[in-house]
Amino acid sequence: MFVRITTDPTRRPNSLRDLGMTSCSNPTVSLSEFSYKKGTEIYGEKEAAEYVYQVKTGAVRSYKLLSDGRRQIGAFHLAGDIFGLENGDSHRFTAEAIVDTTVRLIRRQTLELVADIDPVVANNLLNMTTNNLQHAEDHMLLLGRKTSLERVAAFVLEMDQRLTGAGVIALPMSRRDIADYLGLTLETVSRALSRLHELGIIAFLGTTQRQIVLSDRQKLAIIDLQG
Amino acid sequence: MFVRITTDPTRRPNSLRDLGMTSCSNPTVSLSEFSYKKGTEIYGEKEAAEYVYQVKTGAVRSYKLLSDGRRQIGAFHLAGDIFGLENGDSHRFTAEAIVDTTVRLIRRQTLELVADIDPVVANNLLNMTTNNLQHAEDHMLLLGRKTSLERVAAFVLEMDQRLTGAGVIALPMSRRDIADYLGLTLETVSRALSRLHELGIIAFLGTTQRQIVLSDRQKLAIIDLQG
DNA sequence: CGTTAACTTGACCAGTGTCAAGGAACGTGG
DNA sequence: CCACGTTCCTTGACACTGGTCAAGTTAACG
């Protein structure tokens, strides 16, 4: 189940800009790519944080486990998202590819050296961490105080926003993944989606269960009860 | 219920070091103090973030509300803790004094100016944000996947750790505050504490309900089910 | 096309929430 | 220092949301 990086993934000179960084000095740093098959681990919790990652294609889940196997997914990482950025020197989540996924990597050490010199890069690191913090804060409210229907509505809205906002979403993750993200069981997620379907608020595209149309974004937002 | 700062709280030249910052340039910046009565608001959600705060004495709760009044406390801030540090320009939580509280303040702008010049200060800001992120990540696991007894055990352990770790804690917050922090009701918190008491794992000091003795830290840790 | 994994739905159950009552602690003013 | 009112806390009875278990269906994939 483990897929380790065996070849040193340090080819292809490239720019920090590709990781969403802007910099006045804008030095060329080494970037490379790596692919993970569906279901494989990218890094484990408490493992040394050697790289920072950016999803090129695919999707990734970051989660923590309790000793008896209960799982809490802290975030999904979609195309373009950066993940695995740690300030301490080990990862605080396990990261797995949800589907076949290609990521760009940058050595963490490289990034840190640049950040020490370039205040713009340093500021970008702080911004990314702040964005992660804000997401976690909002998610605490969801996990602590929202009902199952509110959680699922919030999830659909979040995914729509992050996947183009076109009102049609193709979810890469299973009902179980959604459940572990929302602090529910997969059955409860399924029932909530059915309920939203009955209410005419969402629809399923074609024959599949993972393509969802937001028929009534307004009602979704009302159910979500934001703030 | 609102207590606004009416006098400009900018007296007493002091050092960044007092806010836990170390710096090579270590410039003198303006610091001042302010006191809040029990139950008063320090700042509101979405309010402009003009100051960063450090608890000198007392305790503070940071929370978000849903429109129907459900509350999620994201963190408690105890003596020495820094809070209200935002990267964006408005606060993401409401902060209230739990008991009569004195805080030190520093203008956010001042801090930012120094951070731009001094990479050590900038790094401290990143460290503080990372610590907040880590706490939020752990709390998501608690809110999403732990039982009521596990949550309360985790809470008692956290408070013990943060209040000296002596095994005797004097809680500043009510059962309702604890409940809103743990994503439970106050009744469930009360029942869980009674249960821990029955099991001989905690005891109550004297006549009060807010002073707790950790009689068996080991069993608490087992119930908490960490990781 | 067959096998397997994922999803839905139903019946039942358990853990937490709700509502209510009573008691303990705390603050206030006499 | 005491009496009173208020707030906080505990406990019980009951309700209900969401979890568990199980069966059947649908979709995905070799």
Side-chain angles (χ1 to χ4, degrees):
Chain A
M1 201 59 172
F2 274 56
V3 168
R4 281 305 84 194
I5 298 168
T6 48
T7 60
D8 188 339
T10 314
R11 306 163 281 119
R12 290 235 252 161
N14 213 319
S15 161
L16 271 181
R17 196 179 299 278
D18 295 327
L19 270 173
M21 312 284 291
T22 52
S23 166
C24 18
S25 55
N26 195 26
T28 294
V29 298
S30 60
L31 273 180
S32 67
E33 286 185 14
F34 202 80
S35 290
Y36 298 89
K37 285 242 173 67
K38 175 178 173 175
T40 58
E41 180 174 308
I42 298 171
Y43 54 76
E45 193 176 343
K46 290 176 186 165
E47 208 171 288
E50 197 177 351
Y51 298 97
V52 176
Y53 304 79
Q54 183 180 38
V55 179
K56 198 183 171 200
T57 63
V60 173
R61 58 181 169 243
S62 283
Y63 65 85
K64 287 173 183 286
L65 289 178
L66 290 176
S67 48
D68 62 358
R70 278 173 282 173
R71 183 178 70 158
Q72 178 62 44
I73 293 179
F76 292 115
H77 311 292
L78 310 177
D81 291 349
I82 290 166
F83 66 100
L85 173 64
E86 309 292 349
N87 194 20
D89 44 29
S90 64
H91 289 293
R92 294 190 302 267
F93 286 99
T94 300
E96 283 176 359
I98 296 174
V99 293
D100 290 358
T101 297
T102 302
V103 300
R104 291 170 162 163
L105 312 108
I106 182 172
R107 283 191 177 281
R108 183 174 157 245
Q109 198 188 356
T110 312
L111 205 54
E112 277 179 358
L113 290 174
V114 178
D116 278 345
I117 300 164
D118 188 338
V120 176
V121 171
N123 198 254
N124 277 325
L125 291 183
L126 179 57
N127 283 151
M128 285 190 262
T129 304
T130 301
N131 287 340
N132 291 341
L133 177 57
Q134 187 163 352
H135 182 269
E137 289 168 348
D138 291 342
H139 210 58
M140 284 194 290
L141 177 60
L142 179 148
L143 293 171
R145 288 299 178 220
K146 290 189 180 175
T147 66
S148 61
L149 196 64
E150 289 165 356
R151 295 181 200 206
V152 172
F155 172 77
V156 172
L157 282 171
E158 181 191 349
M159 285 302 134
D160 179 50
Q161 251 187 303
R162 292 176 56 189
L163 298 161
T164 79
V168 181
I169 59 185
L171 298 175
M173 71 289 285
S174 68
R175 299 292 189 260
R176 171 166 292 281
D177 286 337
I178 299 172
D180 286 348
Y181 178 60
L182 299 178
L184 300 168
T185 60
L186 66 92
E187 292 94 335
T188 299
V189 170
S190 181
R191 280 186 249 268
L193 286 171
S194 298
R195 182 102 185 282
L196 292 175
H197 182 53
E198 284 168 23
L199 293 169
I201 293 176
I202 63 171
F204 296 94
L205 253 195
T207 173
T208 175
Q209 300 136 323
R210 294 199 186 174
Q211 279 164 260
I212 297 179
V213 185
L214 285 70
S215 316
D216 194 335
R217 204 187 306 248
Q218 177 118 30
K219 279 190 191 160
L220 263 184
I222 292 170
I223 291 175
D224 175 24
L225 242 231
Q226 58 242 302
Chain B
M1 203 56 171
F2 275 54
V3 168
R4 277 313 75 197
I5 298 170
T6 49
T7 60
D8 186 337
T10 312
R11 306 163 282 119
R12 290 235 252 163
N14 214 319
S15 161
L16 272 181
R17 195 178 298 278
D18 294 328
L19 271 174
M21 312 285 288
T22 53
S23 165
C24 15
S25 54
N26 196 27
T28 295
V29 297
S30 62
L31 273 180
S32 67
E33 286 185 15
F34 202 80
S35 291
Y36 297 89
K37 286 241 173 70
K38 174 178 172 173
T40 58
E41 181 174 305
I42 298 171
Y43 54 76
E45 193 177 343
K46 289 177 185 164
E47 210 171 285
E50 197 177 351
Y51 298 98
V52 176
Y53 304 78
Q54 183 180 37
V55 179
K56 200 184 167 200
T57 63
V60 173
R61 56 182 171 242
S62 283
Y63 64 85
K64 287 174 183 287
L65 289 178
L66 291 176
S67 48
D68 63 358
R70 279 174 280 173
R71 183 177 71 158
Q72 179 63 44
I73 293 180
F76 292 116
H77 311 292
L78 310 176
D81 292 349
I82 290 166
F83 67 99
L85 173 65
E86 309 293 349
N87 194 22
D89 44 28
S90 64
H91 289 293
R92 294 189 303 265
F93 286 100
T94 300
E96 284 176 359
I98 296 175
V99 293
D100 290 357
T101 297
T102 302
V103 299
R104 290 170 161 163
L105 310 109
I106 182 172
R107 282 190 180 283
R108 183 172 157 249
Q109 199 188 355
T110 312
L111 204 55
E112 277 179 358
L113 289 175
V114 177
D116 278 345
I117 300 165
D118 188 337
V120 177
V121 171
N123 199 254
N124 277 326
L125 291 183
L126 179 57
N127 284 151
M128 283 190 263
T129 305
T130 300
N131 287 340
N132 290 342
L133 177 57
Q134 187 163 354
H135 182 269
E137 289 168 348
D138 291 340
H139 210 57
M140 285 194 289
L141 177 60
L142 178 148
L143 293 171
R145 288 298 178 218
K146 289 188 181 176
T147 67
S148 60
L149 196 65
E150 289 165 354
R151 295 180 200 207
V152 172
F155 172 76
V156 171
L157 282 171
E158 181 191 350
M159 285 302 135
D160 179 50
Q161 250 187 305
R162 291 176 56 190
L163 298 161
T164 78
V168 181
I169 59 186
L171 299 174
M173 70 289 284
S174 68
R175 299 292 190 260
R176 170 166 292 283
D177 286 336
I178 299 172
D180 286 348
Y181 178 61
L182 300 178
L184 301 168
T185 60
L186 67 92
E187 292 94 334
T188 299
V189 170
S190 182
R191 279 187 249 268
L193 286 171
S194 296
R195 181 102 185 283
L196 291 175
H197 181 55
E198 284 168 23
L199 294 169
I201 293 175
I202 63 171
F204 296 94
L205 253 195
T207 171
T208 176
Q209 300 134 322
R210 294 199 186 172
Q211 279 163 259
I212 296 179
V213 186
L214 285 72
S215 317
D216 195 333
R217 203 186 308 249
Q218 176 117 32
K219 279 190 190 159
L220 263 183
I222 291 170
I223 290 175
D224 174 24
L225 240 232
Q226 56 240 300

